[in-house]
Amino acid sequence: MRNRFPGGPQNGGFRELLSYGATPINAHTVLRMLSFSPAVVLTEEESERYGHKQLLNDMYELFLPVYRSTLTFNDINFILAIYHSPNVSMAIRHLSIFDDMPGEEMSKYLTPAINAIIAGEKPEPVKLNEGISPSYLEASGAYYESTGRGDMLKQLKNVADQNGNEGGAKHLSQIVDYLLANNAVVYANVGNGKVTEDEFRLIAGLYETTAFQHFRAGHLNLSSQSTTILPKIIERAKAWKEKKDKGNQ
């Protein structure tokens, strides 16, 4: 049996791993959710304080059971050693633009198509911006697929298909099909001038290693449980606020 990480000093390693934001639910996406969710009673300033003081601890406790079945001590050590590399660290910073989904620039390419699908129309494919090479497009697609982002969308499509072929479920399935067919182009358009082709290929190549494949398997587990985990994070954020408010009384 592989050496999992139920306890001990390596817990700190998993916490550090989460701090890099490579998971499908991460500090950036959670804070964005807290800013827009009507179920959250935190102000923008409180959300930022929660993110700074408590969020990583809550993510650690909620994510640990999800990744425990796929990730080993050795995997964590290997991934952290890679992440400490300056060129990888820089690539991760540059690629963080894709964490802001659907960010303003990405929405520019996708919102018209989504609106068309909802209206019962067939949208046009996303066009590759002028000056972007086929090689750069291939690299953005390799990054997109290797990190499991396409597989996460396929999970969403399976759920939509299981819920029937009417109304919202039908539209969701069609939207996911559109995203799967066009996201490599969207990533190339958004990444052009911000992420180099070598950076796309560098991170895509990491996911060919055993450790990163285990990490990706954990990503898919986390994505599949997002509808359960995100409400738990919201409840923890509200509990943090209540405790903070009582301490100020």
Side-chain angles (χ1 to χ4, degrees), residues 80-118:
L80 286 177
I82 294 293
Y83 278 178
H84 290 161
S85 168
N87 59 336
V88 172
S89 179
M90 181 175 293
I92 291 171
R93 287 199 302 273
H94 292 166
L95 288 161
S96 67
I97 61 172
F98 299 115
D99 291 335
D100 190 20
M101 295 179 60
E104 181 177 348
E105 188 172 1
M106 195 167 288
S107 296
K108 171 176 72 175
Y109 297 103
L110 297 175
T111 299
I114 292 172
N115 290 338
I117 291 170
I118 294 173

Side-chain angles (χ1 to χ4, degrees), residues 14-32:
F14 183 62
R15 195 185 307 269
E16 181 182 352
L17 193 56
L18 293 178
S19 73
Y20 281 90
T23 54
I25 303 173
N26 53 57
H28 183 87
T29 56
V30 168
L31 292 178
R32 183 176 176 85

Side-chain angles (χ1 to χ4, degrees), residues 22-160:
T23 54
I25 303 173
N26 53 57
H28 183 87
T29 56
V30 168
L31 292 178
R32 183 176 176 85
M33 175 191 68
L34 293 178
S35 298
F36 290 98
S37 173
V40 182
V41 293
L42 278 69
T43 65
E44 182 176 350
E45 181 181 353
E46 286 172 334
S47 293
E48 291 179 359
R49 288 183 62 192
Y50 169 68
H52 179 69
K53 294 180 176 294
Q54 183 60 33
L55 176 57
L56 192 60
N57 291 333
D58 290 342
M59 287 170 52
Y60 165 79
E61 292 178 4
L62 292 170
F63 292 7
L64 184 64
V66 178
Y67 282 86
R68 180 182 285 135
S69 63
T70 68
L71 213 54
T72 69
F73 287 120
N74 290 338
D75 292 335
I76 294 172
N77 288 333
F78 178 86
I79 295 169
L80 286 177
I82 294 293
Y83 278 178
H84 290 161
S85 168
N87 59 336
V88 172
S89 179
M90 181 175 293
I92 291 171
R93 287 199 302 273
H94 292 166
L95 288 161
S96 67
I97 61 172
F98 299 115
D99 291 335
D100 190 20
M101 295 179 60
E104 181 177 348
E105 188 172 1
M106 195 167 288
S107 296
K108 171 176 72 175
Y109 297 103
L110 297 175
T111 299
I114 292 172
N115 290 338
I117 291 170
I118 294 173
E121 303 168 359
K122 184 176 180 179
E124 294 292 326
V126 178
K127 294 182 179 179
L128 188 66
N129 287 344
E130 186 176 350
I132 297 179
S133 69
S135 178
Y136 188 84
L137 173 61
E138 190 276 330
S140 72
Y143 166 78
Y144 176 77
E145 289 298 333
S146 68
T147 54
R149 294 169 188 248
D151 286 338
M152 292 173 205
L153 276 177
K154 291 172 186 175
Q155 286 180 337
L156 185 60
K157 177 176 170 59
N158 288 338
V159 172

